[in-house]
Amino acid sequence: MTKGRWILAGLVIAVVGFATVQGLRPKPPPPAEVTTSLAKKGTVTRVVTAAGHLQARETVKVSSNVTGDLLSLSVKEGDHVMRGQVLGQIDKRLYETQVSQYRGTVASARAQIAQIDVAIEQDKRDLGRVKRLVDERLASTSDLDKATTQLKVDEGRLASQKELVAQSIGQLDTALYNLSRATLTAPIDGTILELSHKVGERIRGSDFSEDVVLLMGGLADMEVKAEVGEHEVVAVHGGDEAAVDIDAIPDKQFKGHVVAVGKNAQIKNPGTDAEVTTFFVRVGLDVPPEGALPGMSSAVSISTATHDNVVMIPIQAVTSREAKKKEQKAAPREGEIKVADATTTTGTSGTNGGYGKDDPPTKAATGKPKPVKVVFVVDKDGVTQMREVQTGIASRTDVEVLSGIAEGETVVDGPYRTLARELQEGQKVKPQKPGQGAGDKGPQGGRS
């Protein structure tokens, strides 16, 4: 083989070897495709949402404590009535008879008082005559005593009869009250919501059990009675502004405010894994919606806190990772004396593995490292930096950042799978243009 062929063969072998080495050399992974947002200053409003039902703020059960047949009903469901308007009539003949009877008793007792008054006047005249006869020694002292005693007896009869008159008047007032209860009247201005009895049915009035004839309420003042979870109700206060959505009126949203926050817990499925604790919150509507009726399904969004001019980022940009491990000094070898440092002596015997008593624990109850909230920041070279952040209140789309992020920095906010599992510190990323697909987006929002 000639010298030229040897040179050609060597060149071929060198090229092939170089190509093989380049092919076997590991290539850096391609940049991860992500979506990004800028940290900016703005207003964040924390919103508590809950479901409930519409109801009249004032609801009254109309009943009677007298017994009798229902003779008439002058209203029907949906009628608007004014306070004092007659709604129905219970048979009142028995109570009219009692009123007449007690009126006769009062009249008779008063007539007896008049008779006793005449008798007392006669006793006074007789006593005067007996005194004169005794002075003239024409009558004995016993006659004087009898006349005096008779006067006192008649005066006692008068006092007793006056008490009987008062007692009869009380019985008459009771009979008149029972007679008035036989006529059903509206206690408030409102709307008839439900009729519980029909004409001809027996009303069984009692002071111990209520026999409701009809239900009425003031639809001019409506409210939503919603159930709020125990973790959220602590942020709700009376007077908080709210927005109300009514399922039956989908195209409108109504303004309202918190009227009252219940203090009695509603516990469902107690003692089980499905136990849920809620509290009733009443949200009054500022303007009663036209066509809304009690019982309609509704949803309330209560604004519990608003922070202005704060740094905020999309809520999905906040994820969780294990806290970065701090550099630890090598342990002293056997036989060496460790000199205590003034900056590390305090709190080194605590239960948190060398942290002071004011430091937060870095391990969960299971013994595993406790995750912390982090945000991935993209620098000018397209490389991510994982930063631990402290967050404040959150709205449905944004979260307030108290520390860790500055205004104007670029943060990664998706896709969900990449952000929650795959993305690591120092990884190269490729921000996507708005509207460009990025595979599995996953959940891009929610509430913290």
Side-chain angles (χ1 to χ4, degrees):
M1 183 179 292
T2 64
K3 183 178 179 180
R5 290 182 177 181
W6 281 106
I7 294 174
L8 181 60
L11 291 173
V12 172
I13 293 173
V15 172
V16 172
F18 179 77
T20 302
V21 171
Q22 291 296 327
L24 295 177
R25 179 179 297 177
K27 296 181 179 179
E33 294 185 352
V34 297
T35 57
T36 59
S37 298
L38 288 177
K40 57 184 179 180
K41 284 193 174 182
T43 300
V44 179
T45 301
R46 179 172 58 195
V47 178
V48 173
T49 59
H53 294 87
L54 275 177
Q55 65 178 22
R57 187 174 301 180
E58 186 179 16
T59 303
V60 179
K61 296 177 180 178
V62 179
S63 61
S64 178
N65 62 346
V66 298
T67 299
D69 297 332
L70 184 60
L71 299 182
S72 66
L73 273 176
S74 56
V75 293
K76 60 182 182 298
E77 292 183 3
D79 286 352
H80 182 74
V81 296
M82 303 299 291
R83 181 175 182 177
Q85 180 177 335
V86 175
L87 306 177
Q89 183 65 57
I90 300 174
D91 188 358
K92 59 181 180 180
R93 288 174 294 180
L94 173 63
Y95 306 102
E96 289 176 338
T97 301
Q98 292 177 349
V99 168
S100 299
Q101 177 182 351
Y102 288 121
R103 278 178 175 166
T105 302
V106 170
S108 175
R110 286 174 174 170
Q112 291 183 12
I113 287 178
Q115 293 177 0
I116 296 174
D117 285 336
V118 173
I120 290 176
E121 293 297 328
Q122 181 63 40
D123 292 340
K124 290 179 179 180
R125 289 193 294 270
D126 292 343
L127 179 61
R129 284 193 296 269
V130 171
K131 285 182 178 181
R132 289 193 298 272
L133 292 175
V134 169
D135 292 340
E136 296 174 359
R137 299 183 180 226
L138 297 177
S140 64
T141 56
S142 63
D143 295 332
L144 179 62
D145 292 339
K146 289 180 181 180
T148 304
T149 302
Q150 183 63 40
L151 176 60
K152 291 182 178 180
V153 169
D154 288 338
E155 288 178 345
R157 287 175 53 205
L158 177 61
S160 175
Q161 192 63 31
K162 287 182 178 180
E163 294 298 328
L164 288 177
V165 170
Q167 180 180 357
S168 299
I169 291 175
Q171 293 173 337
L172 176 61
D173 291 339
T174 301
L176 289 171
Y177 173 75
N178 290 335
L179 178 61
S180 68
R181 296 293 293 175
T183 302
L184 304 176
T185 58
I188 61 171
D189 297 341
T191 303
I192 305 300
L193 303 179
E194 181 182 357
L195 296 178
S196 303
H197 282 280
K198 298 179 181 179
V199 174
E201 292 183 345
R202 186 76 169 173
I203 307 300
R204 303 186 181 279
S206 172
D207 291 330
F208 303 101
S209 61
E210 188 177 22
D211 190 5
V212 179
V213 179
L214 56 88
L215 179 67
M216 62 178 300
L219 299 186
D221 292 323
M222 299 286 287
E223 66 182 17
V224 177
K225 188 176 183 181
E227 290 189 62
V228 178
E230 59 181 325
H231 298 292
E232 296 178 319
V233 74
V234 293
V236 180
H237 302 89
D240 286 346
E241 294 183 356
V244 179
D245 294 294
I246 303 175
D247 292 353
I249 311 176
D251 299 330
K252 292 183 179 180
Q253 191 175 67
F254 304 92
K255 293 182 178 180
H257 61 279
V258 176
V259 176
V261 180
K263 306 301 181 184
N264 187 31
Q266 308 297 316
I267 303 177
K268 300 177 182 178
N269 306 316
T272 66
D273 294 338
E275 180 176 315
V276 177
T277 302
T278 59
F279 291 82
F280 284 124
V281 174
R282 292 165 47 207
V283 176
L285 295 170
D286 295 342
V287 178
E290 184 177 356
L293 297 174
M296 286 185 174
S297 300
S298 306
V300 297
S301 300
I302 305 171
S303 301
T304 60
T306 299
H307 291 178
D308 298 320
N309 197 29
V310 297
V311 177
M312 62 182 188
I313 59 176
I315 195 170
Q316 66 268 21
V318 181
T319 185
S320 60
R321 292 286 195 280
E322 292 183 5
K324 293 182 180 180
K325 296 182 179 179
K326 298 182 179 180
E327 295 183 0
Q328 298 180 355
K329 297 181 179 180
R333 292 179 295 178
E334 185 177 357
E336 292 184 350
I337 299 176
K338 183 178 179 181
V339 180
D341 188 355
T343 61
T344 60
T345 54
T346 304
T348 57
S349 61
T351 60
N352 291 336
Y355 293 96
K357 64 180 181 179
D358 294 331
D359 294 334
T362 59
K363 290 187 178 182
T366 59
K368 298 181 180 180
K370 188 176 180 180
V372 295
K373 293 180 179 181
V374 299
V375 171
F376 285 94
V377 179
V378 182
D379 60 18
K380 61 182 179 180
D381 298 325
V383 179
T384 60
Q385 299 176 6
M386 186 178 73
R387 296 188 191 174
E388 184 176 343
V389 296
Q390 292 183 352
T391 58
I393 65 174
S395 66
R396 294 180 179 178
T397 57
D398 300 305
V399 61
E400 175 189 9
V401 179
L402 302 177
S403 64
I405 299 294
E407 180 184 8
E409 290 189 303
T410 302
V411 299
V412 179
D413 62 4
Y416 172 76
R417 180 178 298 177
T418 301
L419 185 60
R421 304 176 185 176
E422 302 171 358
L423 195 60
Q424 299 297 327
E425 184 175 14
Q427 186 175 347
K428 194 81 172 179
V429 295
K430 179 183 178 182
Q432 294 179 302
K433 297 179 181 179
Q436 186 177 353
D440 182 17
K441 288 282 185 180
Q444 292 293 317
R447 294 172 55 200
S448 60

